[in-house]
């Protein structure tokens, strides 16, 4: 089997390894596609070396087919298409005891804290595996995990039909948030400086504007009779994005913080006080979010084909990471199928 191995900042390698049989309670998955996400880029840049060890196999966005059943596993069949909920929780910490196991204090995030999906054969605890519809193309199935992120984020923001929503940051997660919010009947404005990403958003029916060319707060005020947006999502990870997301909100508006900000940001707390705003974190997702994501992708509500910018073999992993790092693309996938034949 092949595996993409993280060897240190900006250094990926391809290794040939002997595949191991799935252990008790595990499923062996023949991986078809893995997606590269923002967290994977943080790993690639060396920002998560405190969690990701040397020679680590990363990746958590994926689709594939069951290749083998470990001892004691029932209810699955070889060849069945699947994806993985890559979060394993302890069940004992304060977060888990309060019903928030998706943000477990001792979380094992597959692809970060333990081996991930960038390998042609992946053994995973059966309880973390979810079935995909047989008719769903497997490259589309690799988008289920990021769609689950968007579903969870939109739920955190309590987005309702008729809401004015501003999404700051038009990468894959920002566009997916906009798509899910529009599916709930919200009126969405996407803020994104990259022209390629704005064009993709426009092609799938999301209005996108360049913050360098337009006064976003003034535009939102004009469209809401001076009130402002009901919900803003900060997905850019930039200080300017935080400022814009706060500025556009209406009285008692909700700011959902989605992006990973590696350093503290200045926030206009006077604006929070004056307008009684709410700030909500959105870190991960729950099993119900994954189930809803599968439904949305399978129904065609998510324009998966238009969101997949490029597909590379594992041997081109560095080029794939570099392409995503440089912008101008949306989803980038690695295709493992040849290595599984």
């Amino acid at each position: 089997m092949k595996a993409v191995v993280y060897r240190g900042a900006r250094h990926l390698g391809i290794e040939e390894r002997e595949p191991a049989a799935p252990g008790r309670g595990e499923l062996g998955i023949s991986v078809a596609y893995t997606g590269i996400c923002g967290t994977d880029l943080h790993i690639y840049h060396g920002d998560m070396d405190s969690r990701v060890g040397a020679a680590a196999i990363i990746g958590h966005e994926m689709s594939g087919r069951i290749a083998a059943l470990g001892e004691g596993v029932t209810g699955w069949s070889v060849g069945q298409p699947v994806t993985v909920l890559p979060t394993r929780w302890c069940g004992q910490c304060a977060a888990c005891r309060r019903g928030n196991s998706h943000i477990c204090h001792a979380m094992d995030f597959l692809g970060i804290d333990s081996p991930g999906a960038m390998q042609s054969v992946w053994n995973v605890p059966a309880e973390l595996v979810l079935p995909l519809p047989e008719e769903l193309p497997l490259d589309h199935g690799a988008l289920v995990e990021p769609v689950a992120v968007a579903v969870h984020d939109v739920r955190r923001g309590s987005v309702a039909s008729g809401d004015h929503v501003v999404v700051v940051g038009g990468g894959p997660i920002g566009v997916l948030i906009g798509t899910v919010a529009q599916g709930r009947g919200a009126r969405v404005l996407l803020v994104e400086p990259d022209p390629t990403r704005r064009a993709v958003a426009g092609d799938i029916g999301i209005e996108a504007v360049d913050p360098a060319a337009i006064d976003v707060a003034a535009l939102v005020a004009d469209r809401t009779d001076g009130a402002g947006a009901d919900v803003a999502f900060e997905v850019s990870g930039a200080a300017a994005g935080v400022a814009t997301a706060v500025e556009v909100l209406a009285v008692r508006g909700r700011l959902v913080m989605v992006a990973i900000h590696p350093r503290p940001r200045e926030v206009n707390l006077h604006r929070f006080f004056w307008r009684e705003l709410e700030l909500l974190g959105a870190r991960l997702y729950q099993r119900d979010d994954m189930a809803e994501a599968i439904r949305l992708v399978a129904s065609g509500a998510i324009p998966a084909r238009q969101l997949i910018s490029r597909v590379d073999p594992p041997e081109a992993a560095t080029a794939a990471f570099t392409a995503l790092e440089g912008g101008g693309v949306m989803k980038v996938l690695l295709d493992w199928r040849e290595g599984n034949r």
Side-chain angles (χ1 to χ4, degrees):
M1 57 167 274
K2 293 179 181 179
V4 172
V5 177
Y6 171 73
R7 293 177 176 161
R10 307 189 69 82
H11 188 192
L12 300 174
I14 301 293
E15 292 187 4
E16 295 280 350
R17 298 186 175 187
E18 284 297 320
R24 181 175 181 80
E26 291 185 333
L27 287 168
I29 300 174
S30 178
V31 177
Y33 295 93
T34 52
I36 304 171
C37 75
T39 300
D40 297 322
L41 278 182
H42 282 294
I43 294 171
Y44 178 64
H45 293 156
D47 297 334
M48 299 180 68
D49 284 357
S50 61
R51 290 177 65 184
V52 180
I57 299 174
I58 63 174
H60 56 273
E61 301 179 3
M62 62 79 63
S63 64
R65 293 185 181 273
I66 294 175
L69 280 64
E71 183 183 352
V73 176
T74 60
W76 297 93
S77 58
V78 171
Q80 188 172 358
V82 294
T83 190
V84 170
L85 172 69
T87 55
R88 184 162 46 185
W89 52 90
C90 72
Q92 304 298 320
C93 70
C96 288
R97 294 197 306 270
R98 293 185 177 192
N100 297 312
S101 58
H102 68 294
I103 44 176
C104 168
H105 295 321
M107 175 70 71
D108 173 10
F109 197 106
L110 279 62
I112 300 176
D113 305 303
S114 58
M118 289 189 186
Q119 52 184 320
S120 50
V121 180
W122 190 25
N123 295 326
V124 178
E127 67 268 17
L128 302 183
V129 179
L130 292 89
L132 294 175
E134 187 64 49
E135 65 276 10
L136 180 66
L138 287 176
D139 56 346
H140 293 193
L143 269 61
V144 164
E145 193 271 353
V147 173
V149 172
V151 168
H152 184 76
D153 296 344
V154 169
R155 284 176 170 171
R156 283 289 283 159
S158 301
V159 173
S161 180
D163 279 352
H164 284 274
V165 170
V166 175
V167 181
V168 182
I173 295 299
V175 169
L176 287 171
I177 288 171
T179 302
V180 174
Q182 283 194 168
R184 290 193 169 201
R187 289 166 284 189
V188 175
L189 179 69
L190 183 74
V191 180
E192 169 56 47
D194 184 272
T196 301
R197 289 179 166 178
R198 289 200 308 274
V200 172
D203 287 345
I204 63 176
I206 299 174
E207 182 184 6
V209 296
D210 181 358
I214 195 168
D215 185 330
V216 176
L219 176 62
V220 173
D222 180 64
R223 293 189 174 178
T224 58
D225 295 324
D230 300 287
V231 189
F233 294 89
E234 205 307 285
V235 202
S236 72
V242 175
T244 297
V246 173
E247 189 178 5
V248 299
L249 284 170
V251 166
R252 292 201 168 182
R254 301 177 295 283
L255 170 57
V256 184
M257 187 58 64
V258 178
I260 298 174
H261 287 262
R263 60 183 62 84
R265 301 295 191 192
E266 289 189 7
V267 178
N268 185 350
L269 293 181
H270 183 269
R271 186 81 164 184
F272 270 80
F273 157 76
W274 199 254
R275 292 204 166 193
E276 293 195 356
L277 304 180
E278 296 180 59
L279 173 61
L280 301 161
R283 176 182 164 195
L284 281 171
Y285 37 74
Q286 296 162 294
R287 195 176 187 91
D288 285 351
D289 298 320
M290 288 285 286
E292 174 65 2
I294 291 171
R295 186 192 72 79
L296 289 172
V297 175
S299 71
I302 302 299
R305 183 64 61 205
Q306 292 161 277
L307 294 177
I308 298 171
S309 299
R310 60 185 279 169
V311 180
D312 290 311
E315 293 81 2
T318 297
F321 271 75
T322 302
L324 187 61
E325 179 183 46
V329 297
M330 296 299 283
K331 286 310 298 179
V332 178
L333 305 182
L334 298 180
D335 182 353
W336 295 89
R337 293 172 301 165
E338 182 180 349
N340 289 324
R341 290 198 289 267

